[in-house]
Amino acid sequence: MEALPVDAIPTGPDWQYEPKWDGFRCLAFRDGRDLKLQSKAGRPLNRYFPEMVEALGALKARAFVLDGELAVPADGGFSFDALLQRIHPAASRVKRLAAETPAIFIAFDLLAGADGRSLMASPLPARRQKLEELARRYFPDHPRIRLSPTSQSLAQATKWLKQAGPALDGIIARRRDSDYRPGERTAMQKIKNYRSADCVVGGFRYGADGKRVGSLLLGLYDEDGLLHHVGFTSGIRASERAALTQKLERLIAAPGFTGNAPGGPSRWASERSGEWKPLKPKLVVEVCFDHFSGGRFRHGTRLLRWRPDKAPRQCTMDQIRRGGGNVLRLLFGGES
C-alpha cells in the first residue's frame, strides 16, 4: 500500500494513526525455511540485511507476510545515513556493517498469518488484531523485531507528529474500514511536520544553462564555529535569477564552507552547472524542511524568504536539533 501526502491529520472514527518511522519500507515473506525481504519497489533486500534474514528466520512462526520498516538505531533515534550505507555491492562491507550497525524490523501490518492464509481482504482492525497476536506469541523471541504502536486518539497522533525528528518522519493515518490495497493511495495518508531554519548561503551552483544560479548551498555553524554544508534549496523565481546571479558572483570567495563541504559535480551535470562556487558568509535565507538527520536536510528544502536582519553567525545547528528518545520507548519499553 502507498500513502498519500496530505497537510493535515484526518479526523473521525474511521481513522487510525501510527508513527511514520524513518527507515526503508520492507515486506517480509516467510514460508517454511524460505524467507524473502522485499523493498517497496519490489527489489530483494536479503543480501543487504543478513542479520534481519537471520532474525526473522529464527521466529517460531513458520509462515507470515509482514509489512513494516527497516531502521538502524543510533544516538537515541534512527540513522538513515547508516541505513543507506547498507546498500552496497561488496559482501564483506555488508557483513561488517550488519555487525556494527544492525537493523531492526518494525512491523505495522500483517498480510498473511502464521497459518498461511491471506488477510489482505480483511479490514485494518482485523489485520491489526492478528498482528498483535503474532507479536505477543513470537516477537519476544528476538530483540530486533518490534511491533509498531497504533492509536485512534487524535491527541496521541498530534503528539507523535510533534516528536518528528531522528526517529520519526511524521505520522501515518489509515482508514479502519479498508482492506489492504497494493499500489493504491486510497486508504493511507502521511503527514509530516514541516519546520523552518535560518541558513547561511555558503555557495551556489549554476543551473542547467550554466549562466544563472540554479541552487543555493546551505550551511549551519557548529559549536566550534565551523560552517558545515547541510543541504540546498532551488526554489528561486525565474524572474529573480539574473539579478541574484550577479549578486552572488560578487561574493565568490573561498572556502565558503569551513567544515563539511559539498561534493563535486555529478556525472550527469555539465561542467559549469555541476561545479559549486564558494561564497563569503554574508547572506542568510529561511528555508522550510521536513527532516534533518546525519548532519543534513534529508530532502531538498523550500526557500521561504531572505533574512537580511539575521546575522550569519546566528545560524547554528541548535535550531534544528530535536530529541527522539521518548518515542523510541514505544518500541523498546516504557511510556511515550
Side-chain angles (χ1 to χ4, degrees), residues 192-203:
K192 294 189 176 184
N193 189 8
Y194 290 92
R195 296 176 282 160
S196 69
D198 296 319
C199 298
V200 178
V201 182

Side-chain angles (χ1 to χ4, degrees), residues 114-180:
D115 58 3
R117 295 181 181 178
S118 174
L119 299 171
M120 293 177 62
S122 301
L124 178 59
R127 301 198 311 273
R128 179 70 191 192
Q129 181 181 350
K130 291 290 186 181
L131 175 60
E132 291 178 355
E133 292 173 357
L134 186 81
R136 282 194 299 269
R137 186 173 181 183
Y138 299 111
F139 286 9
D141 292 345
H142 204 288
R144 311 218 67 79
I145 304 169
R146 301 288 172 173
L147 175 65
S148 186
T150 187
S151 177
Q152 288 183 260
S153 167
L154 179 60
Q156 180 62 70
T158 303
K159 182 178 180 180
W160 286 336
L161 187 58
K162 290 180 179 178
Q163 290 176 310
L168 293 186
D169 197 30
I171 64 169
I172 292 290
R174 309 179 70 180
R175 289 196 63 90
R176 289 173 54 80
D177 59 355
S178 177
D179 54 359
Y180 192 94

Side-chain angles (χ1 to χ4, degrees), residues 4 22 66 92 94 139 149 167 184 239 262 308 336:
L4 177 70
D22 189 24
L66 290 166
S92 58
V94 169
F139 286 9
E184 293 190 18
S239 60
S336 173

Side-chain angles (χ1 to χ4, degrees), residues 20-160:
K20 186 180 185 298
W21 303 104
D22 189 24
F24 286 166
R25 184 79 174 273
C26 177
L27 289 173
F29 299 85
R30 173 78 182 275
D31 184 8
R33 294 183 179 181
D34 186 23
L35 189 132
K36 296 179 181 178
L37 302 180
Q38 178 180 297
S39 73
K40 186 169 68 172
R43 296 174 180 172
L45 295 174
N46 286 42
R47 64 164 302 190
Y48 303 117
F49 298 93
E51 79 279 25
M52 288 314 312
V53 174
E54 179 182 358
L56 289 162
L59 292 180
K60 294 180 180 179
R62 303 297 295 171
F64 54 74
V65 180
L66 290 166
D67 193 353
E69 200 88 3
L70 288 171
V72 173
D75 300 325
F78 293 135
S79 173
F80 195 80
D81 286 344
L83 199 63
L84 288 174
Q85 292 298 318
R86 302 295 298 276
I87 310 300
H88 195 276
S92 58
R93 178 170 176 175
V94 169
K95 183 179 180 180
R96 175 174 60 82
L97 292 178
E100 294 177 354
T101 56
I104 67 171
F105 183 86
I106 309 170
F108 52 71
D109 208 339
L110 186 65
L111 282 61
D115 58 3
R117 295 181 181 178
S118 174
L119 299 171
M120 293 177 62
S122 301
L124 178 59
R127 301 198 311 273
R128 179 70 191 192
Q129 181 181 350
K130 291 290 186 181
L131 175 60
E132 291 178 355
E133 292 173 357
L134 186 81
R136 282 194 299 269
R137 186 173 181 183
Y138 299 111
F139 286 9
D141 292 345
H142 204 288
R144 311 218 67 79
I145 304 169
R146 301 288 172 173
L147 175 65
S148 186
T150 187
S151 177
Q152 288 183 260
S153 167
L154 179 60
Q156 180 62 70
T158 303
K159 182 178 180 180
W160 286 336

